[in-house]
Amino acid sequence: MYAQMVTTDAVKSAGEMSPEERAFQERIDRGERIEPKEWMPDAYRKTLIRQIGQHAHSEIVGQLPEGNWITRAPTLERKAILLAKVQDEAGHGLYLYSAAETLGVSRDELLEKLHTGRMKYSSIFNYPTLNWADIGAVGWLVDGAAIMNQVPLQKTSYGPYSRAMVRICKEESFHQRQGYDIMMKMSFGTPEQKAMAQDALNRFWYPSLMMFGPSDKDSVHSAQSMAWKIKINTNDELRQKFVDQTVPQAEYLGLTVPDEHLKWNEEKGGYDYSQPDWDEFFDVLAGNGPCNKERLGARVKAWEDGAWFRDALTAHAEKTARRRAASRVAAE
Ligand code: BYC
């Protein structure tokens, strides 16, 4: 499953490219968008299917840790907000599956790969949401990290992906804000509530840093993806921006980022911070996180439970097509 991580994707020099590949790279370098029916290198198509597919799966699996709390939200207002957020995530998954389909892969194929463990989804969703403060931490940190990663993707080179990201980013901003609002309520509440908020930050800080992917030296796809402008920034660049943005937000809440080495570095104009435990990250990717089995099990069950509905839709479409064909023959 992790064979793709053994080697780094080699970026071809102009001399090694075919004339078609060179012309393609020149279009990318000029900042042109690539559209579905246009020529593209096979590896560009495959990289996009991998990234957009994994992104779509993350949105869908990402509904689970929060969906779990809809019935237990503390007020009617919080319930309505959370419900809207979780529905947005479903919508993001659908835009992204549609964007992936323009590359010649079907949604069924992508889902089959997810269900059989041949495609990934974001590591973050393999961590549990134990209490209401965790829902605040997810919105604040997880959606905050998602925005940091996804705002640059609005400028990604593949047209359908970049256009999907525009709408997704608008919605993610509301998600991040609602999470921070929960954190404010908890942090400025009773000592017990503040302790819950601190505990949620303690548990979600490092998994959120992992969302940006392995450090640049271990990122197998970054160099080629950046040459093709599929990715606009490296994993470490975005992680640094996230830390710099989030630390003052934690300070405002009166919470402590669980990193004793966290320190403002005047020279670089950013914080020095501790790396997450990368062994834990790769272990979660290998299927051994606290919730991997539960999350995948829930998705497979949802797929199987929905089989009767998909069958009914297909049967209806076939029946309608047969009727139309019969009435055409009768009219001739
Ligand atoms: N989790 O060479 P690298 C959301 C994999 S949803 C799992 O750096 P790349 C939300 C990577 O796939 C947020 N796997 O890869 C939803 C590769 O393995 P493969 C989802 C990870 O692709 C609901 C290997 O490690 N966002 O926000 O250049 C509620 C080597 O990595 C992770 C997106 O998907 C990870 N964290 O860079 C709330 C954004 N990191 O494929 C919120 C789009 C790395 O060779 N994706 N891997 O088997 C990206 O920007 C890039 O794909 C990544 C990774 C930065 C994630």
Side-chain angles (χ1 to χ4, degrees):
M1 181 175 173
Y2 298 100
Q4 293 168 81
M5 293 172 63
V6 176
T7 52
T8 302
D9 291 354
V11 182
K12 283 187 188 173
S13 67
E16 291 167 321
M17 290 178 191
S18 69
E20 271 171 323
E21 286 171 337
R22 212 171 308 131
F24 179 82
Q25 187 62 52
E26 281 163 11
R27 289 192 61 197
I28 299 275
D29 294 344
R30 282 196 298 272
E32 286 179 29
R33 289 273 187 284
I34 308 301
E35 295 300 335
K37 297 221 157 39
E38 294 171 346
W39 187 87
M40 59 186 82
D42 211 36
Y44 176 85
R45 185 186 299 277
K46 281 198 181 126
T47 301
L48 279 170
I49 292 174
R50 178 183 64 78
Q51 180 167 320
I52 302 173
Q54 289 181 1
H55 194 164
H57 296 329
S58 304
E59 300 283 357
I60 297 299
V61 177
Q63 294 178 98
L64 297 169
E66 291 179 292
N68 190 36
W69 277 90
I70 292 171
T71 53
R72 291 175 286 166
T75 66
L76 181 60
E77 193 189 9
R78 291 284 183 204
K79 188 197 277 277
I81 295 169
L82 186 61
L83 192 60
K85 178 194 191 291
V86 174
Q87 283 175 339
D88 282 352
E89 309 300 359
H92 298 177
L94 298 185
Y95 315 148
L96 289 164
Y97 285 130
S98 299
E101 282 183 315
T102 65
L103 292 154
V105 64
S106 73
R107 192 178 306 186
D108 285 2
E109 276 174 75
L110 292 171
L111 287 171
E112 206 263 329
K113 284 192 172 150
L114 170 71
H115 296 159
T116 52
R118 286 177 295 143
M119 260 184 106
K120 297 189 175 78
Y121 57 88
S122 182
S123 50
I124 189 72
F125 302 118
N126 293 308
Y127 291 84
T129 42
L130 303 177
N131 57 47
W132 181 250
D134 287 7
I135 299 304
V138 167
W140 171 35
L141 300 173
V142 175
D143 288 270
I147 296 172
M148 197 53 86
N149 169 279
Q150 292 172 11
V151 164
L153 289 178
Q154 294 176 103
K155 295 204 174 82
T156 193
S157 59
Y158 187 57
Y161 191 25
S162 85
R163 290 188 286 275
M165 291 321 300
V166 173
R167 173 136 181 212
I168 290 177
C169 284
K170 287 199 170 68
E171 292 173 348
E172 293 291 8
S173 304
F174 145 62
H175 298 171
Q176 196 269 356
R177 193 68 187 82
Q178 68 85 38
Y180 196 68
D181 193 59
I182 294 174
M183 291 305 277
M184 286 202 291
K185 196 84 181 167
M186 302 291 288
S187 302
F188 302 139
T190 64
E192 288 79 10
Q193 284 174 313
K194 185 168 183 186
M196 281 173 73
Q198 180 64 56
D199 173 57
L201 171 59
N202 293 348
R203 282 180 293 106
F204 276 93
W205 177 253
Y206 288 103
S208 301
L209 296 187
M210 292 175 192
M211 286 177 71
F212 297 95
S215 63
D216 292 350
K217 64 178 170 37
D218 297 319
S219 169
V220 281
H221 302 299
S222 279
Q224 180 60 79
S225 288
M226 288 181 69
W228 278 328
K229 297 190 185 161
I230 290 175
K231 276 169 86 164
I232 310 297
N233 301 91
T234 73
N235 301 352
D236 286 336
E237 280 168 8
L238 293 174
R239 193 169 8 252
Q240 179 73 54
K241 280 178 88 169
F242 173 74
V243 171
D244 294 345
Q245 175 185 280
T246 310
V247 170
Q249 294 172 351
E251 282 168 357
Y252 178 78
L253 295 172
L255 300 180
T256 309
V257 171
D259 178 356
E260 58 184 28
H261 299 114
L262 187 76
K263 196 167 177 283
W264 179 256
N265 181 331
E266 194 62 50
E267 210 176 309
K268 79 171 179 190
Y271 285 91
D272 290 333
Y273 63 95
S274 301
Q275 290 295 311
D277 178 347
W278 291 116
D279 289 339
E280 177 184 317
F281 170 76
F282 287 115
D283 208 33
V284 171
L285 261 56
N288 304 319
C291 300
N292 292 60
K293 288 185 183 64
E294 187 186 328
R295 300 292 186 236
L296 209 52
R299 288 313 314 159
V300 171
K301 182 174 184 310
W303 176 255
E304 286 169 355
D305 289 352
W308 68 271
F309 187 68
R310 292 190 302 278
D311 289 348
L313 283 178
T314 314
H316 178 70
E318 281 167 1
K319 209 156 112 187
T320 312
R322 267 201 308 275
R323 269 203 206 116
R324 279 215 192 97
S327 57
R328 260 200 312 274
V329 171
E332 279 165 11

